[in-house]
C-alpha cells in the first residue's frame, strides 16, 4: 500500500525540524499572537587573537670603515588585549640565514631585538617570547612611541675581506600570539 502524499510531506518536514534542532538553528524563542508579543535570541561574538608589527623602516648601514657596522629600526608590536607574543626572524640568505649579498659574495649579520625589557639576540627561525605589546593602539600612536627596536650588526671580522660592492638582503619578522 502506498503512503498518502500528506504523510510523506509531514515526514520530510519533521526531518527538517530535527536537523535544524540538531544544528542549533532554533535557539531563538518566538513570540505568540496577542495584545503584546515577546521573543528572544542569543547573540555571540568571537574576537580573534590578533597581532600586528608596524612602523618598520629600512636599515641603510653606513659604509664599512674597519669596525662593526650597526643599524637600527624601531617597531610597533600590537596584540589585542595585551599579553605575551612571539617574534621570529628569518633572513634572505641560504636556509634563511642572516646574510647580505652582492650576488656573488655574502656576509653574515646578527640581529638583536629589544622590547623595552632588555635586548636579546635572535637566531634565524627561532621564536623569542616577549611581553611588551601595545594593547590599545595597533600603530603605537596613543602608546606614545614605538615599543621595540631591531638592531642589525655586521662584524668587522666578517666584512674586512669583502670586495667593494653594495651588499643587501631582507630581514623578515613574524609576530604571533603566545
Amino acid at each position: 500500500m502506498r503512503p498518502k502524499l500528506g504523510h510523506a510531506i509531514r515526514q520530510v518536514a519533521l526531518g527538517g525540524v530535527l536537523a535544524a534542532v540538531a544544528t542549533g538553528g532554533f535557539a531563538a524563542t518566538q513570540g505568540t499572537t496577542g495584545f503584546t508579543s515577546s521573543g528572544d535570541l542569543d547573540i555571540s561574538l568571537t574576537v580573534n587573537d590578533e597581532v600586528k608589527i608596524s612602523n618598520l623602516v629600512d636599515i641603510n648601514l653606513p659604509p664599512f670603515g674597519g669596525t662593526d657596522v650597526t643599524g637600527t629600526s624601531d617597531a610597533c608590536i600590537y596584540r589585542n588585549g595585551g599579553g605575551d607574543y612571539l617574534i621570529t626572524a628569518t633572513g634572505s640568505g641560504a636556509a634563511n640565514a642572516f646574510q647580505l649579498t652582492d650576488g656573488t659574495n655574502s656576509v653574515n649579520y646578527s640581529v638583536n631585538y629589544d622590547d623595552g625589557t632588555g635586548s636579546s639576540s635572535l637566531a634565524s627561525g627561532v621564536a623569542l617570547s616577549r611581553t611588551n605589546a601595545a594593547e590599545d593602539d595597533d600603530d603605537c600612536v596613543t602608546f606614545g612611541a614605538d615599543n621595540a627596536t631591531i638592531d642589525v650588526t655586521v662584524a668587522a671580522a666578517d666584512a674586512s675581506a669583502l670586495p667593494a660592492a653594495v651588499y643587501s638582503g631582507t630581514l623578515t619578522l613574524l609576530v604571533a600570539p603566545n
Side-chain angles (χ1 to χ4, degrees), residues 24 27 41-48:
L41 54 110
D42 293 332
I43 300 171
S44 67
L45 169 68
T46 301
V47 176
N48 293 324

Side-chain angles (χ1 to χ4, degrees), residues 63-122:
F64 177 65
T67 61
D68 292 354
V69 179
T70 299
T72 300
S73 174
D74 289 331
C76 174
I77 309 297
Y78 163 81
R79 180 171 181 197
N80 63 327
D84 296 350
Y85 65 93
L86 299 172
I87 185 156
T88 306
T90 54
S92 56
N96 297 322
F98 298 146
Q99 288 184 332
L100 305 175
T101 184
D102 68 352
T104 304
N105 302 292
S106 62
V107 61
N108 294 329
Y109 62 90
S110 61
V111 180
N112 285 329
Y113 182 80
D114 189 349
D115 71 342
T117 62
S119 184
S120 296
S121 179
L122 295 177

Side-chain angles (χ1 to χ4, degrees), residues 1-15:
M1 175 178 211
R2 216 170 106 187
K4 293 183 180 178
L5 183 57
H7 180 69
I9 290 173
R10 279 191 296 266
Q11 287 178 332
V12 170
L14 179 59

